[in-house]
Amino acid sequence: TSLSTSTLITMSSHHWLLAWLGLELNTLSILPMIIKPHHPRATEAATKYFLIQAAAAALILFSSTLNAWQTGHWSITNISTPTAAVTITIAIMLKLGIAPTHAWYPEVLQGATMNTALILSTWQKLAPLTLLYLMKNSLPNSLILTIGALSILVGGWAGLNQTQTRKIMAMSSIAHMGWLIIALNMSLDIATMTLAVYILLTTTMFTSFNITTTKTLADLGVTWPQSPVLFVTMLITLLSLGGLPPLTGFAPKWLILTSLCHTKLFMLSVMIVIASLPSLFFYIRMTYLATLTAPPNTTNAQHKWRHKMSHPWALGPTMVMAGLLLPLTPLMAT
């Protein structure tokens, strides 16, 4: 049922009620996946997720009804009432877990399993982002840019004192969503490319963490003996998430900053570059903890006591793309 949501929202591009129905289906479909481990933390995460998503959906329904009452139409692409546009934007930010409505997001990811956290970080973003795409001409620009810059700042600073990999990925996601909605305000093509790169990098990292059962930063120090090649590519993906050239993650940031400079938003450009430095710091800290605090030796034990790792077939190509797509930037951005 969850897979049909984005299709339903796309089909309902002229009606808010069908979009709201799609969002509700999306929320109700993911709840059993979050609660499946039957652990108190999973139950807490599912409850938090349900309350937040239901509140955001109610706000969207209220705002779209207000817009329909004042304008006489339910069109998503044309919101004439400024109050409704601002309220719907805030509700979608709440659904996406963007600052300042982000506090629920790391807690829910921490209570879910790695695979469920991956779905929450990637697939569950598509439905609200589809609505933002459709509303592009009605979005309050200054609010979008302010929230985007705040998300980049909060995502970086709040991630500095985290030791759980899922919470670090949650903060990373908040910062990347900030870049994404700033891109959305500039150009839909750049925003689409940013989203694709974000999904690629996040999927690679979560899959790697899941295979190596890396749940805390301390676990990173003992992953080398399990699979040195996987380990090295995981570190390259981490640096790519930080946006270091010449890796794939640099491409969307490069294009977004170029676009901001073309529109004479120099102060915002400087601000978000400085705000993204803490994010880069905690990615580099993860690579440091993984490589330089434990000797990169294979185990000396006579018998292999570790569990045999599974290697999903898609992990190889995604890891290659996570590091080497920068030369294709002109192709991806058009």
Side-chain angles (χ1 to χ4, degrees), residues 2 5-7 9-10 19 22-24 26 92 95-96 122-134:
S2 181
T5 309
S6 292
T7 314
I9 287 183
T10 308
L23 291 171
E24 287 295 301
N26 184 269
I92 292 173
K95 272 192 166 292
L96 287 170
T122 53
W123 182 262
Q124 292 299 100
K125 305 281 191 194
L126 296 183
L129 283 171
T130 306
L131 291 178
L132 281 182
Y133 269 63
L134 292 170

Side-chain angles (χ1 to χ4, degrees), residues 64-73 80-84:
S64 54
T65 308
L66 178 68
N67 185 62
W69 177 45
Q70 294 197 349
T71 62
H73 64 77
S80 315
T81 317
T83 310

Side-chain angles (χ1 to χ4, degrees), residues 201-247:
L201 297 177
T202 307
T203 304
T204 307
M205 282 314 305
F206 270 114
T207 311
S208 305
F209 286 150
N210 194 32
I211 289 171
T212 55
T213 59
T214 304
K215 293 179 181 175
T216 64
L217 291 182
D219 295 338
L220 275 171
V222 293
T223 50
W224 174 276
Q226 296 184 53
S227 177
V229 176
L230 172 63
F231 183 69
V232 170
T233 45
M234 187 166 83
L235 299 187
I236 291 170
T237 309
L238 269 173
L239 296 177
S240 187
L241 263 174
L244 283 183
L247 303 171

Side-chain angles (χ1 to χ4, degrees), residues 173-221:
S173 176
I174 291 166
H176 277 88
M177 283 293 121
W179 283 95
L180 178 56
I181 62 166
I182 288 175
L184 192 67
N185 205 45
M186 299 287 113
S187 156
L188 288 181
D189 292 334
I190 296 176
T192 308
M193 192 202 108
T194 307
L195 177 61
V197 170
Y198 161 75
I199 289 175
L200 173 71
L201 297 177
T202 307
T203 304
T204 307
M205 282 314 305
F206 270 114
T207 311
S208 305
F209 286 150
N210 194 32
I211 289 171
T212 55
T213 59
T214 304
K215 293 179 181 175
T216 64
L217 291 182
D219 295 338
L220 275 171

Side-chain angles (χ1 to χ4, degrees), residues 32-310:
M33 297 176 71
I34 301 173
I35 212 167
K36 186 176 177 288
H38 300 297
H39 189 277
R41 279 189 183 173
T43 310
E44 183 187 342
T47 308
K48 284 178 179 172
Y49 188 79
F50 170 72
L51 290 174
I52 293 293
Q53 298 295 319
L59 258 181
I60 288 172
L61 187 61
F62 163 73
S63 308
S64 54
T65 308
L66 178 68
N67 185 62
W69 177 45
Q70 294 197 349
T71 62
H73 64 77
W74 289 89
S75 173
I76 296 176
T77 50
N78 182 22
I79 300 173
S80 315
T81 317
T83 310
V86 169
T87 317
I88 289 174
T89 304
I90 291 170
I92 292 173
M93 299 307 155
L94 181 58
K95 272 192 166 292
L96 287 170
I98 291 178
T101 56
H102 66 283
W104 63 274
Y105 187 60
E107 301 298 325
V108 170
L109 250 61
Q110 184 59 31
T113 62
M114 279 290 180
N115 285 333
T116 311
L118 168 60
I119 295 169
L120 289 172
S121 300
T122 53
W123 182 262
Q124 292 299 100
K125 305 281 191 194
L126 296 183
L129 283 171
T130 306
L131 291 178
L132 281 182
Y133 269 63
L134 292 170
M135 287 172 61
K136 186 184 184 302
N137 297 326
S138 312
L139 290 174
N141 291 340
S142 53
L143 178 66
I144 289 286
L145 293 175
T146 306
I147 288 176
L150 184 64
S151 293
I152 296 168
L153 185 65
V154 168
W157 281 105
L160 288 176
N161 64 343
Q162 300 297 337
T163 56
Q164 301 283 335
T165 50
R166 275 168 291 188
K167 283 197 174 180
I168 287 174
M169 290 305 293
M171 293 306 170
S172 160
S173 176
I174 291 166
H176 277 88
M177 283 293 121
W179 283 95
L180 178 56
I181 62 166
I182 288 175
L184 192 67
N185 205 45
M186 299 287 113
S187 156
L188 288 181
D189 292 334
I190 296 176
T192 308
M193 192 202 108
T194 307
L195 177 61
V197 170
Y198 161 75
I199 289 175
L200 173 71
L201 297 177
T202 307
T203 304
T204 307
M205 282 314 305
F206 270 114
T207 311
S208 305
F209 286 150
N210 194 32
I211 289 171
T212 55
T213 59
T214 304
K215 293 179 181 175
T216 64
L217 291 182
D219 295 338
L220 275 171
V222 293
T223 50
W224 174 276
Q226 296 184 53
S227 177
V229 176
L230 172 63
F231 183 69
V232 170
T233 45
M234 187 166 83
L235 299 187
I236 291 170
T237 309
L238 269 173
L239 296 177
S240 187
L241 263 174
L244 283 183
L247 303 171
T248 306
F250 176 63
K253 293 185 177 180
W254 177 24
L255 291 172
I256 291 166
L257 290 171
T258 307
S259 184
L260 284 172
C261 291
H262 284 163
T263 48
K264 302 289 188 276
L265 292 168
F266 300 115
M267 276 303 293
L268 180 64
S269 305
V270 171
M271 197 168 79
I272 63 175
V273 167
I274 293 171
S276 65
L277 287 177
S279 293
L280 182 59
F281 172 79
F282 67 69
Y283 294 127
I284 292 177
R285 185 182 60 180
M286 286 173 81
T287 58
Y288 168 78
L289 285 172
T291 52
L292 300 178
T293 56
N297 299 325
T298 53
T299 177
N300 293 322
Q302 187 175 0
H303 303 290
K304 285 188 178 178
W305 53 269
R306 292 180 179 85
H307 297 294
K308 192 176 188 311
M309 289 193 306
S310 61

